[in-house]
Amino acid sequence: MAAGNDGAKTPEDDDPFGYLYADGQAAGAQPPQGGGYGYPGPAPQPGVPRTSYNQVRTVGERQYGGHAAQGHAQVPHQQAYAQPHPQYAAPETYNGGAPTRPVPPAQAGPRGGGPNTKGLLIGAVAVVAVVVIGIAAAVITNSGDENDTAGSGGNPSGAPTQVSESPSTDPSQSSQAPQELPKQDAATLKLGGAAALAKDIKGAEGADGAYVTGFNAVGSSVTWQADVAQAGSYRLYVRYAIPAADANATLTVNDKANSNPIGLKNFIGSSDPNLEKNWQTTWAPVTLKQGMNTIKLSCEQGNQCNAIFDWLEIRTGS
């Protein structure tokens, strides 16, 4: 590739500082015409390569406020810089002053320029209040759980509570000890008519196995003085034995006979007339007054009285 036409000058002439070095001088570098680098050279000509850089001025030639510094002449500092050239004037010297850009307003801090202690104090108080409320709620909840546990008989938390249902009682009985209802061996009762004591038939639960016999004659009777703590409706239970055949008797309470006789039936359905194998119980409703009551079993006309008696007992019931 052919070299380009660089004109009459050689490339080393393009280095404005080549003449300063020994190798540049040996290569034929010449100081620029017109004063060297930093000084104005000849005006560029068309087709002629440049030999120095233009757009420069000799030191002291630049104008400052209409005054020129020639060569190395010293210009008074006040005069040389009294009125700067408009090209190098500060922006605030232009008409209308220097252009400005919006500056964000400074945020006003608390008085004294310190940290926002008021906000921090409010936050701390809020945190303490929340903690106190949480502790109070936990204490109230635990107290409620303990009360519930105590009220349910000490059941552990989460266990189903057992509710016992008991019949309502009269307020007058709540302050009294449980009522002991009377029971009496027939052998210790008051006997009337042909009624008498015997011990030859086994199975009687009275003292020494004694029981009442001879009741099958009209006019025979057994009488009991029963003491109860409270008036009300009760049941009279009688233990007896029959020869596998139904029997009955007249029941009188406080000198008032019941309209229906007390049944001494063959409830066990026995077919063996042996009295020892036919012991059983029956009951009849009675209304008793508070205190002593007279209860009488008797064999009257129309009764079937072929029975023997072991004991009589009062129980609750309607």
Side-chain angles (χ1 to χ4, degrees), residues 126-217:
V127 171
V128 172
V130 170
V131 172
V132 171
I133 293 174
I135 294 174
V139 171
I140 294 174
T141 302
N142 291 337
S143 299
D145 292 342
E146 292 176 359
N147 294 336
D148 292 343
T149 300
S152 61
N155 287 343
S157 176
T161 303
Q162 300 294 334
V163 180
S164 60
E165 296 183 0
S166 58
S168 60
T169 58
D170 193 296
S172 62
Q173 292 181 331
S174 60
S175 60
Q176 300 177 354
Q179 182 180 1
E180 294 184 3
L181 297 176
K183 180 180 181 180
Q184 190 76 25
D185 291 341
T188 61
L189 300 178
K190 181 181 178 180
L191 305 179
L197 294 180
K199 298 181 180 179
D200 53 332
I201 298 175
K202 304 300 181 180
E205 297 176 353
D208 297 329
Y211 57 91
V212 175
T213 188
F215 192 75
N216 55 350

